[in-house]
Structure formats: structure tokens, C-alpha cells
Amino acid sequence: MANKIQMVDLKGQYLKIKDEVDAGIQNVIDNTAFINGPIVKDFAQHLSEYMGGCHVTTCANGTDALQIALMALELKPGDEVIVPAFTYVASAEVIGLLGLTPVMVDVDYDTFNVTVDNIKKALSPKTKAIIPVHLFGQSCDMEPILAFAKEHNLYVIEDNAQAIGAVYTFSDGHKAKTGTMGTIGCTSFFPSKNLGCYGDGGAIFTNDDALAERIHMIANHGQRVKYHHAVIGCNSRLDSIQAAVLDVKLRHLDEYCKARYEAASYYTKQLKAFDPEEKYFITPKELPNSTHVYHQYTLKIKNGKRDELKNFLAEQGVPSMIYYPLPLQEQEAFKTITRAGEALDKSRECAYSVLSLPIHTEMTKDVQDMVIKNVINFFAR
Ligand SMILES: *Cc1c(COP(=O)(O)O)cnc(C)c1O
């Protein structure tokens, strides 16, 4: 079973940085500063430098990051927050949790991301914020979204859980990391994310000094001074062991992004050679103004063959995953709390046709060839 193909090879990745990671973890244990140890501050500082100098507040997970972002913006029950219908549930769950109203908008079929045109259709006098999700590792087309938000006085919270390290280029040529363009950016350090720890973790980004202070306070029981609570907050912390792991992995993040990109390019080249006219499937589309860090390599399978292909691959020992099988509008939990929107057809089409292939930082050509061969075999039968 040693060569079993995996969706993500966290063990292989760990073995390459084992000495650094083990030393970092041992150091935390030796110092017993398990919560708010110096390494948490160091990591936040290094992450800030990596992201281009924004404020960084670390927290317990990516879902908390989104929740704290919404709390910091002081939205009120009934306020509407625009969110894509095709995303991981967390992006919308926090909206409902705070008594706000998620208003779902359709995603673009080619990129899986929200577009300003779809956002425009969802605007109402109650709209207060937009949560663009940089799904699967590529930035939403942010320039028009930011312009629209500015025009209508809306906050923008980027859900950057899947795209840390991606870079967006504005029309004037200036570049920004995803997660640093909106009012607030959020990310997750869940183990399988592109920058993942060995447990749970998350972070919140902003360039606004006052907001950063507020975010920090909310993540820490609403206190600025210990035992003096200015607002209702929560308890959301990144622990020192996770920070020690992340501090090591951050140094490798660009190389990890590159490895994922190369693996994705190889998939696309081989798969397109087999199906140049997209008779059977559609390979991921890359935007000219964003890099792609391929958190997932996601095909759209045509002619209703997705589930059959998935089963076929599984029989051949090739894992694949469906991210995500239902659009939000078809989730039981969201039916009653959402202002009825448009048809959301593309989100539905995505949910019913997507299939993600194994991709990670330790991919070899041999493994990829196995995956590709089996995909081709299925359609060539
Ligand atoms: C993983 C993820 C989250 C939530 O992160 P957790 O750390 O699991 O809470 C939120 N949004 C998206 C798009 C994600 O992929």
C-alpha cells in the first residue's frame, strides 16, 4: 500500500521538512508556552511580510476568521451579505450564524468564481457586504468587484482559504496577494489547505489599523486590556504548536504553489491532448490577471458521466473528490434563511459536474500518468 495514490500527501511533505518542524514543535514543548507563545507572534509577523505588510490576526480556524470579520464590521441582523452559491459551506454559514441574511449569487461556469455582473443583480438597499471566495486557488476578478463595492459602500471580505499565495494583477499593473485587497481577508490553515498546519488554524488580514485592532480584540474575548471586555467577542486562538509548524511551512509556500501549478499544467496538457474539443470534460481555465495556486485541480465532466467516472477511478485505485456536491441553495440549512435570489444555474451545473483529481506538493509524473491514463481509459472504452 506504500504507493497508494492519495488526494493529498501530507506525510511525504512532512518528511522533507521533518527536522525543521520537529525542532519547532519541540521548542514549544520545552518552553511550555502552548498558548500565545512567542512563536505565534513571530509567525504572524512573517505572514504579514509574506502578504505584503497587512495586519495579521491569527485565530482558531478559517470559519472563525470569517465570523470574526463579520463581527468586526458591526453588521446588524437583517443586513444582507452577498456570497457565491458554489463554495464551501463556511463562507455562508457564518452569515446565518450572526443573524445576517446570505444572498447567494451565481458563479462563473469557467472559473467557479463570482463575477461583478452577478453581484450587481443581488444588490438591494440592505446589502452591506460581499464575500468573494477565491475558489480552488485562483483569484476572483477583484478590480471590478472592488469598484462596485466602493460605489455602493459595501464591505468586501475575501475568503482566501483556498488561494493563499495567489497574486492578482490590476489593470494599472500593480499586484496584490489574494486576501489583502478587500476590507478584510480570511484564511484557513486546515491541514490540507495550501498552507496547512497539523490541526486547526486560521488568520484574518486587513490594511485598516482601526479594524485590525477591533479584529484582534474580538478574537480575544472582546478585551483590549486583560479582564476588561469592551465588546462581545469570542475565544479564537492559534496555538503555539500550530504556529511553529506554520512558521516552517510558510518558508516553503512559494515552492509549494509552484509544485501545484506544475502538476496542474501537466494534467491540463495531457488531458487536453486527449480531448481537445471538450467532448468529455473541461479542464480548469486560468485567468490572465491572477496566478493559480491550484488548491484543487477540478474538471467539469460532461454528459452526466461524473459519478460513473468517479466510481471507475476508485476501482482502479485512483481517488477523486467532489467539491462540492450541492450548491448552497439546495442545502437544507439555507433554504429558510436566504432571500430568494436568481436561478443560480451555473452553480448548480458546477456542483453536478465537478470532479477534483489528486493534487499536492509531492506529485510525481508517474502518479499523474496513472491518474491521466485512467481518466482517458474511462472515456476511450
Ligand atoms: C476550508 C475553508 C473554510 C473554512 O476553514 P476551516 O479552517 O475549516 O474552518 C472557509 N472557506 C473555504 C472556501 C474553505 O475552503
Side-chain angles (χ1 to χ4, degrees):
M1 283 331 253
N3 292 321
K4 198 167 156 272
I5 302 178
Q6 302 173 82
M7 282 302 286
V8 178
D9 182 8
L10 293 179
K11 184 71 181 279
Q13 189 190 57
Y14 164 65
L15 292 175
K16 287 194 183 155
I17 52 171
K18 183 177 186 312
D19 292 348
E20 286 174 279
V21 168
D22 290 1
I25 293 175
Q26 190 60 50
N27 190 41
V28 173
I29 298 173
D30 289 342
N31 294 320
T32 66
F34 297 115
I35 298 291
N36 286 334
I39 187 66
V40 179
K41 260 208 186 80
D42 288 351
F43 167 64
Q45 177 58 36
H46 297 149
L47 184 57
S48 163
E49 285 159 19
Y50 179 85
M51 297 298 283
C54 60
H55 295 279
V56 172
T57 300
T58 54
C59 65
N61 56 66
T63 310
D64 272 13
L66 290 162
Q67 182 188 324
I68 292 163
L70 287 172
M71 288 168 78
L73 296 172
E74 297 178 81
L75 304 183
K76 286 173 203 60
D79 285 350
E80 293 181 357
V81 181
I82 293 174
V83 67
F86 184 62
T87 181
Y88 181 56
V89 67
S91 324
E93 189 177 32
V94 292
I95 304 172
L97 186 70
L98 294 173
L100 310 169
T101 304
V103 176
M104 292 160 197
V105 297
D106 217 358
V107 296
D108 174 53
Y109 185 65
D110 289 335
T111 62
F112 305 108
N113 280 336
V114 284
T115 59
V116 75
D117 290 338
N118 290 342
I119 290 170
K120 275 179 189 165
K121 293 184 221 160
L123 186 73
S124 92
K126 290 184 177 170
T127 311
K128 290 287 160 17
I130 310 169
I131 304 187
V133 182
H134 307 306
L135 205 70
F136 301 150
Q138 180 166 244
S139 183
C140 298
D141 192 8
M142 288 301 285
E143 186 161 354
I145 295 175
L146 293 169
F148 179 78
K150 193 166 177 198
E151 184 188 339
H152 295 278
N153 249 317
L154 310 175
Y155 298 119
V156 176
I157 302 171
E158 295 174 75
D159 183 341
N160 196 34
Q162 301 192 1
I164 194 159
V167 177
Y168 180 81
T169 306
F170 288 83
S171 52
D172 67 0
H174 96 268
K175 293 175 188 292
K177 289 249 163 75
T178 53
T180 66
M181 295 178 271
T183 322
I184 302 179
C186 298
T187 203
S188 162
F189 303 127
F190 186 80
S192 62
K193 298 282 156 86
N194 288 23
L195 178 61
C197 56
Y198 294 171
D200 274 310
I204 308 159
F205 310 113
T206 184
N207 288 303
D208 181 319
D209 299 346
L211 202 49
E213 212 245 328
R214 215 179 148 72
I215 288 167
H216 219 76
M217 180 169 76
I218 290 171
N220 186 26
H221 291 296
Q223 63 189 355
R224 210 172 268 128
V225 179
K226 205 165 171 64
Y227 305 125
H228 295 256
H229 306 273
V231 294
I232 298 292
C234 54
N235 172 27
S236 190
R237 296 185 284 237
L238 180 73
D239 71 68
S240 305
I241 286 180
Q242 301 312 330
V245 173
L246 289 165
D247 204 43
V248 172
K249 287 183 69 172
L250 179 61
R251 295 200 283 272
H252 298 275
L253 181 56
D254 282 339
E255 143 211 335
Y256 291 161
C257 292
K258 190 160 164 270
R260 286 173 175 278
Y261 184 77
E262 280 170 5
S265 301
Y266 187 68
Y267 270 143
T268 295
K269 184 164 153 261
Q270 303 295 323
L271 290 169
K272 272 204 147 156
F274 168 71
D275 185 21
E277 279 148 38
E278 301 186 337
K279 275 198 296 199
Y280 305 118
F281 50 76
I282 304 171
T283 53
K285 185 177 169 193
E286 290 174 11
L287 281 180
N289 52 358
S290 172
T291 62
H292 201 319
V293 296
Y294 283 100
H295 176 60
Q296 298 299 342
Y297 184 86
T298 304
L299 297 174
K300 287 185 288 275
I301 311 299
K302 297 179 99 170
N303 312 312
K305 295 277 187 199
R306 192 264 312 270
D307 293 350
E308 222 181 296
L309 170 61
K310 187 179 191 320
N311 291 337
F312 176 83
L313 293 176
E315 280 163 20
Q316 312 302 315
V318 175
S320 61
M321 293 291 280
I322 298 169
Y323 304 116
Y324 299 92
L326 287 180
L328 287 181
Q329 73 270 20
E330 293 179 17
Q331 296 285 0
E332 192 76 37
F334 288 92
K335 285 187 179 152
T336 55
I337 56 169
T338 307
R339 186 165 68 86
E342 28 147 5
L344 309 173
D345 295 341
K346 297 297 170 208
S347 299
R348 187 166 199 284
E349 256 181 89
C350 289
Y352 286 87
S353 67
V354 285
L355 193 65
S356 297
L357 300 181
I359 194 160
H360 50 77
T361 58
E362 313 304 310
M363 245 21 230
T364 61
K365 283 242 156 66
D366 286 356
V367 167
Q368 288 200 271
D369 285 338
M370 271 283 289
V371 176
I372 293 160
K373 186 186 82 187
N374 281 294
V375 171
I376 291 175
N377 283 350
F378 173 79
F379 290 106
R381 283 181 309 173

